[in-house]
Amino acid sequence: MTRNNDERWMHHAIVLAYYAQNQGEVPIGAILVLNNKVIGKGWNQPIESHDPTAHAEIIALRQGGKVLRNYRLTESVLYVTLEPCAMCAGAIVYSRVSRLVYGARASKDGTINTCLHTLRDTRTNHHVQVNGGVLKTECSNILTHFFYQKRAEKRIHGKTILS
């Protein structure tokens, strides 16, 4: 797939990130694509759903599995606005997504560029092609603005600032 096609789908994931933000969730969006068609989409929902596993990637993968009626999502491409965490990276490997395209780097808990390197580990049973940094500025700005607002709200109310 071309960089332009990756950017096209990442724009869809960004829209979902804004939807998550409007719901009071950390603004992360994900789109799962197979043969240039969306088979799954998700945005962060752990707060609203009271479910710690309700990350954008997991929700998109679950929808894709239902659409295909199979947990193996071979030949699919997952677009996500933020580098996946360990839980999501494991789900990406086990679902056999062919390619992951992400926007912003997660410097604290991402599993591609941190100490875990889950998606780059040659010992796993499936290898995922990874393309990072697609629309990274736009994806980073959503998160930066969100956490800036959250910290400002905490200061206004005299509470501890998020770390």
Side-chain angles (χ1 to χ4, degrees):
M1 292 195 177
T2 65
R3 182 91 175 163
N4 288 340
N5 204 31
D6 286 348
E7 289 179 1
R8 173 183 162 228
W9 290 116
M10 187 61 74
H11 278 293
H12 288 282
I14 289 170
V15 169
L16 294 172
Y18 279 116
Y19 186 79
Q21 178 177 301
N22 292 338
Q23 302 298 313
E25 302 279 357
V26 175
I28 301 170
I31 295 281
L32 184 64
V33 177
L34 179 65
N35 298 324
N36 220 27
K37 293 180 183 167
V38 175
I39 61 168
K41 59 184 178 178
W43 55 89
N44 266 12
Q45 300 175 42
I47 297 168
E48 180 181 328
S49 66
H50 309 289
D51 178 356
T53 69
H55 288 199
E57 300 95 313
I58 300 294
I59 293 166
L61 294 171
R62 286 177 181 160
Q63 284 183 6
K66 287 179 182 177
V67 166
L68 297 182
R69 300 179 59 115
N70 193 337
Y71 74 95
R72 291 186 176 184
L73 306 171
T74 57
E75 304 303 318
S76 65
V77 181
L78 181 65
Y79 296 87
V80 62
T81 57
L82 183 67
E83 177 184 355
C85 70
M87 174 183 69
C88 294
I92 290 165
V93 169
Y94 288 119
S95 66
R96 298 189 177 49
V97 166
S98 294
R99 194 161 73 97
L100 168 73
V101 179
Y102 70 91
R105 186 173 174 186
S107 60
K108 291 184 180 179
D109 64 352
T111 56
I112 297 164
N113 296 302
T114 61
C115 60
L116 294 175
H117 303 283
T118 305
L119 294 179
R120 297 187 192 278
D121 193 329
T122 58
R123 297 170 293 179
T124 60
N125 65 340
H126 175 72
H127 302 113
V128 179
Q129 180 186 356
V130 177
N131 295 15
V134 175
L135 300 180
K136 68 180 177 182
T137 301
E138 293 91 331
C139 294
S140 294
N141 287 345
I142 297 166
L143 289 157
T144 300
H145 180 70
F146 175 80
F147 285 112
Y148 176 81
Q149 283 185 310
K150 288 292 182 188
R151 288 181 183 103
E153 289 170 12
K154 295 264 184 191
R155 283 191 299 269
I156 289 170
H157 299 315
K159 297 179 183 176
T160 306
I161 298 174
L162 293 174
S163 56

